[in-house]
């Protein structure tokens, strides 16, 4: 067992040697690579990585280039999780047979997927991996839309958002279905660790990633990733949007241990009204018209109810 | 390899990031690595930029916010000090300028054709807060 990388502060963290390269083709200001960097830099161990089809996969493996400095595989839209699970099963088998060439090394198995690949298309595959108990980590880069193919709605798209398959206009206010609560679903698999993270709270994120890499068993991480193209905001405001997402409690940061021990890991000092989060994004612009204003109130009520629910779960340890 | 056309590319082939044996990559800094032409590190996206960040080290407090929040690994930090910007990989998004906490900011965006020395000489003064 190798030692956990010690990261006390940001200065210490900044001595990490990145294993993700620039000149990938992600949009300027994309939060995907910020999240990927924070995950990869959280450990010094070898990495076995996979990605489901999505922005990250398409933009980091454009022939003849690769942006990854570790073993990386892509197969299909749905099976980033099972690709890594297969590699992990083989590693375990070779270890039992004593046929590993470098048995002292302690590789970590991590799969990345967008919200489309995780909430919709690869859902059954991820559920299978969690149920079979592979020693792996699955990280969702949740930008709430199929950004790579032109902004179609996914089951992660929240109510009121304007997406190309649920456009807002005279007839409709955009997406009408509520967002799927993926962390609770994965927590209900009774896996050792499920958590929601945000790239702006890097310390919280690194702590959760390191914990997830240490535990034996499947780990599920949901990371909020503001999308400058589809959420329609200026690229320089990515971190501002992430701050708004965590401080309005639209993306509360919490963890679920063994499926029943819920801990809220970040409580904002000043909770910001959800209206500010909605106002910062072009995809919610139509909500500020008179006929749709009631939706903002509903948004706030929904966010408050979810926060109260999380607090109740934390208290009751269920 | 880099000049092979898409139809000459072997199905299921691997792209190797490093020449020869790659040992402890997590312990090797970028300047010491032996990249192949297949790593996107060898490529450049400098032509994406309309505006570029300019770094004025006089005001920098080495907080490393720009390093952690840079999406393109373009902030070069060595020995806990911010030493410069990798202009081959910077796409000019401006996140580093937004997250810079100093007053005046030690990173500012300027048009791509601006002269770095001139802009640093004319750096804005400290802003005083009006009560």
């Amino acid at each position: 067992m190798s030692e956990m990388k010690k990261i006390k502060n940001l200065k210490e963290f900044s001595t990490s040697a990145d294993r993700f390269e620039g000149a990938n083709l992600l949009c300027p200001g994309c939060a995907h690579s910020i999240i990927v960097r924070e995950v990869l830099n959280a450990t010094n161990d070898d990495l076995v990585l996979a990605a489901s089809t999505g922005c990250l996969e398409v933009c980091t493996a454009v022939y003849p280039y690769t942006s990854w400095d570790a073993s990386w595989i892509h197969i299909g839209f749905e099976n980033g999780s099972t690709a890594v699970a297969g590699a992990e099963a083989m590693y375990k088998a070779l270890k039992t047979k004593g046929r590993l060439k470098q048995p002292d090394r302690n590789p970590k198995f991590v799969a990345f997927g967008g919200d489309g690949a995780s909430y919709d298309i690869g859902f059954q595959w991820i559920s299978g991996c969690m149920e079979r108990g592979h020693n792996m980590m699955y990280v969702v880069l949740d930008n709430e839309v199929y950004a790579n193919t032109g902004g179609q709605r996914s089951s992660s798209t929240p109510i009121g958002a304007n997406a190309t398959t649920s456009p807002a206009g005279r007839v409709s206010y955009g997406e009408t279905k509520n967002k799927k609560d993926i962390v609770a679903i994965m927590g209900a698999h009774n896996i050792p660790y499920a958590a929601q993270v945000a790239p702006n709270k890097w310390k919280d994120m690194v702590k959760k990633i390191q914990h997830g890499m240490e535990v034996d068993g499947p780990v599920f991480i949901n990371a909020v990733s503001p999308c400058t193209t589809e959420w329609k905001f200026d690229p320089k405001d990515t971190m501002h949007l992430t701050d708004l997402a965590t401080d309005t409690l639209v993306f509360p940061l919490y963890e679920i241990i063994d499926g029943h021990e819920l801990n809220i890991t970040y409580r904002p000092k000043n909770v910001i009204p959800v209206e500010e989060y909605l106002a910062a994004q072009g995809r919610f612009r139509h909500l500020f018209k008179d006929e749709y204003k009631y939706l903002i109130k509903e948004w706030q009520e929904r966010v408050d109810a979810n926060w109260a629910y999380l607090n109740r779960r934390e208290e009751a340890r269920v | 390899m880099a000049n092979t056309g898409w139809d000459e590319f072997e199905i299921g082939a691997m792209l190797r990031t490093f020449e020869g044996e790659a040992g402890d990559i997590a312990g090797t800094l970028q300047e010491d690595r032996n990249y192949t032409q297949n790593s996107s590190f060898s490529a450049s996206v400098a032509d994406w930029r309309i505006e570029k960040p300019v770094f004025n080290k006089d005001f920098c407090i080495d907080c490393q916010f720009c390093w952690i929040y840079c999406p393109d690994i373009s902030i070069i930090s060595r020995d806990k000090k911010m030493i410069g910007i990798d202009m081959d990989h910077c796409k000019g998004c401006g996140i580093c300028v937004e997250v810079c906490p100093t007053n005046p900011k030690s990173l500012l965006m300027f048009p791509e054709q601006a002269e770095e020395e001139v802009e640093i000489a004319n750096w804005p003064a400290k802003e005083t807060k009006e009560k």
Side-chain angles (χ1 to χ4, degrees):
Chain A
M1 201 76 178
S2 64
E3 260 181 50
M4 202 197 286
K5 183 173 174 179
K6 281 194 187 100
I7 301 161
K8 271 193 227 121
N9 52 40
L10 198 46
K11 282 194 180 190
E12 202 170 339
F13 199 25
S14 77
T15 56
S16 312
D18 272 295
R19 281 183 279 178
F20 184 68
E21 295 300 342
N24 52 58
L25 303 185
L26 291 163
C27 302
C30 180
H32 274 24
S33 53
I34 305 175
I35 298 165
V36 169
R37 285 185 60 216
E38 288 180 24
V39 172
L40 301 195
N41 282 336
T43 178
N44 276 336
D45 286 327
D46 295 327
L47 290 160
V48 180
L49 305 169
S52 304
T53 306
C55 285
L56 184 73
E57 177 269 320
V58 172
C59 296
T60 57
V62 185
Y63 182 73
Y65 296 115
T66 171
S67 301
W68 302 87
D69 296 343
S71 328
W72 181 88
I73 187 172
H74 163 248
I75 302 174
F77 212 139
E78 65 288 346
N79 51 15
S81 51
T82 38
V84 150
E88 189 267 348
M90 185 199 70
Y91 176 82
K92 241 184 219 167
L94 289 178
K95 198 173 187 179
T96 335
K97 291 178 184 169
R99 279 168 53 193
L100 282 179
K101 281 183 182 159
Q102 293 167 307
D104 51 324
R105 287 190 157 191
N106 185 29
K108 302 284 187 270
F109 298 86
V110 184
F112 291 99
D115 59 286
S118 314
Y119 284 63
D120 302 340
I121 299 175
F123 186 71
Q124 177 198 327
W125 280 257
I126 301 168
S127 181
C129 288
M130 299 293 140
E131 178 262 321
R132 288 191 296 272
H134 292 283
N135 190 9
M136 59 172 280
M137 176 184 283
Y138 190 88
V139 182
V140 184
L141 307 159
D142 185 4
N143 55 14
E144 300 190 325
V145 75
Y146 284 89
N148 173 39
T149 48
Q152 291 84 2
R153 55 91 53 185
S154 75
S155 57
S156 168
T157 311
I159 292 183
N162 182 12
T164 47
T165 46
S166 60
R170 258 176 302 135
V171 183
S172 161
Y173 53 77
E175 173 66 23
T176 52
K177 319 266 184 321
N178 206 351
K179 184 177 165 146
K180 202 187 260 183
D181 188 355
I182 195 93
V183 184
I185 296 170
M186 289 304 158
H189 285 66
N190 288 334
I191 55 173
Y193 199 64
Q196 184 147 281
V197 300
N200 59 334
K201 304 290 168 210
W202 67 270
K203 206 165 188 176
D204 174 74
M205 177 145 166
V206 165
K207 205 175 148 194
K208 284 173 177 168
I209 299 291
Q210 289 192 330
H211 180 82
M213 283 174 171
E214 285 304 304
V215 296
D216 190 28
V219 171
F220 185 87
I221 305 282
N222 191 44
V224 51
S225 177
C227 174
T228 150
T229 312
E230 298 300 339
W231 293 20
K232 297 187 177 66
F233 60 86
D234 207 43
K236 69 177 172 28
D237 293 329
T238 305
M239 294 330 289
H240 176 60
L241 252 292
T242 325
D243 283 341
L244 282 177
T246 51
D247 288 10
T248 54
L249 302 174
V250 174
F251 276 88
L253 304 185
Y254 60 97
E255 56 185 15
I256 304 174
I257 299 166
D258 295 330
H260 61 269
E261 216 174 293
L262 191 145
N263 300 315
I264 295 170
T265 51
Y266 172 67
R267 290 174 189 276
K269 272 180 202 141
N270 300 312
V271 179
I272 304 170
V274 174
E275 196 173 343
E276 278 187 40
Y277 171 75
L278 302 177
Q281 303 170 45
R283 63 173 177 161
F284 291 118
R285 196 170 48 211
H286 54 282
L287 296 187
F288 292 85
K289 285 180 189 163
D290 283 340
E291 65 260 43
Y292 294 142
K293 270 207 169 138
Y294 69 96
L295 284 162
I296 300 175
K297 203 170 146 254
E298 282 183 19
W299 250 98
Q300 184 69 57
E301 284 165 6
R302 215 166 28 246
V303 168
D304 290 346
N306 184 46
W307 182 243
Y309 161 75
L310 290 175
N311 276 294
R312 279 202 307 277
R313 269 193 77 171
E314 185 184 36
E315 206 173 323
R317 313 310 277 166
V318 288
Chain B
M1 185 71 180
N3 299 322
T4 319
W6 65 270
D7 50 347
E8 299 158 60
F9 185 45
E10 204 182 320
I11 294 169
M14 277 196 294
L15 293 180
R16 292 193 178 275
T17 322
F18 303 106
E19 301 281 2
E21 287 257 317
D24 181 21
I25 294 302
T28 317
L29 292 169
Q30 283 177 322
E31 54 266 32
D32 303 325
R33 293 178 185 170
N34 197 3
Y35 288 107
T36 64
Q37 287 297 310
N38 291 122
S39 170
S40 68
F41 186 80
S42 324
S44 170
V45 285
D47 52 350
W48 290 29
R49 274 198 311 270
I50 302 166
E51 286 188 312
K52 65 175 176 185
V54 173
F55 173 52
N56 187 341
K57 66 174 184 304
D58 294 348
F59 299 106
C60 184
I61 54 167
D62 294 312
C63 65
Q64 306 296 350
F65 282 178
C66 52
W67 175 83
I68 183 102
Y69 298 134
C70 175
D72 294 302
I73 311 100
S74 298
I75 303 290
I76 309 168
S77 282
R78 296 289 180 266
D79 297 329
K80 305 183 183 181
K81 294 257 187 295
M82 147 78 167
I83 56 169
I85 302 163
D86 178 352
M87 282 299 177
D88 283 339
H89 299 133
C90 173
K91 293 171 188 161
C93 63
I95 290 180
C96 51
V97 174
E98 284 299 305
V99 299
C100 184
T102 59
N103 184 9
K105 284 184 186 290
S106 40
L107 281 157
L108 283 174
M109 298 303 277
F110 291 101
E112 182 65 25
Q113 69 275 12
E115 298 267 349
E116 203 165 306
E117 293 81 18
V118 178
E119 299 300 347
I120 288 180
N122 300 323
W123 207 258
K126 187 175 176 176
E127 271 179 44
T128 44
K129 265 190 189 165
E130 285 176 34
K131 279 179 187 172

